[in-house]
Amino acid sequence: MESKKSYTEMMKAAAAINRKKSAERSVMEIYIDMVLHESILMTQKTKLLTDIDAALDTKDKVLFMKLTKELNELNISCG
C-alpha cells in the first residue's frame, strides 16, 4: 500500500521547514551583523590609536586630548 499524505499534512510539513529555515537565516543575519560591527569598531579604534600616536609625535596637546576623549567614549559605549 502506498502511504499518501493529505494536502494539509504536506502544507504543515512545508511550513515547519520554512520556519526552520527562517530561524536559521535570522541567526546567520545576527552573526553577520556582529562580525561587521566588530570589524568597524576595531577599524575605528586602530585609526584613533594611530592618530593619537601622531598627535604625540607632533606634541599637539589639543588634538591628543580630543582623540583620547573619543577613544574613551568609544571604549565606554562599545567595550
Side-chain angles (χ1 to χ4, degrees):
M1 258 202 230
E2 286 184 38
S3 67
K4 294 185 178 181
K5 291 185 179 181
S6 71
Y7 177 78
T8 305
E9 291 172 330
M10 288 190 302
M11 293 308 295
K12 286 180 183 178
I17 290 170
N18 286 337
R19 279 193 302 272
K20 182 179 178 188
K21 286 182 181 180
S22 178
E24 288 172 359
R25 269 186 263 136
S26 295
V27 170
M28 183 61 73
E29 288 170 0
I30 291 169
Y31 179 72
I32 290 169
D33 187 51
M34 288 171 53
V35 169
L36 289 174
H37 184 71
E38 180 71 16
S39 176
I40 291 168
L41 179 63
M42 293 307 296
T43 301
Q44 288 174 332
K45 283 184 177 184
T46 301
K47 181 171 180 354
L48 280 171
L49 290 170
T50 301
D51 292 346
I52 288 170
D53 287 343
L56 285 171
D57 290 342
T58 60
K59 296 179 174 53
D60 188 342
K61 184 176 180 179
V62 174
L63 182 59
F64 172 78
M65 295 303 289
K66 177 183 172 278
L67 295 171
T68 54
K69 182 181 176 187
E70 287 179 29
L71 181 61
N72 286 335
E73 289 171 357
L74 187 65
N75 283 331
I76 289 170
S77 67
C78 298

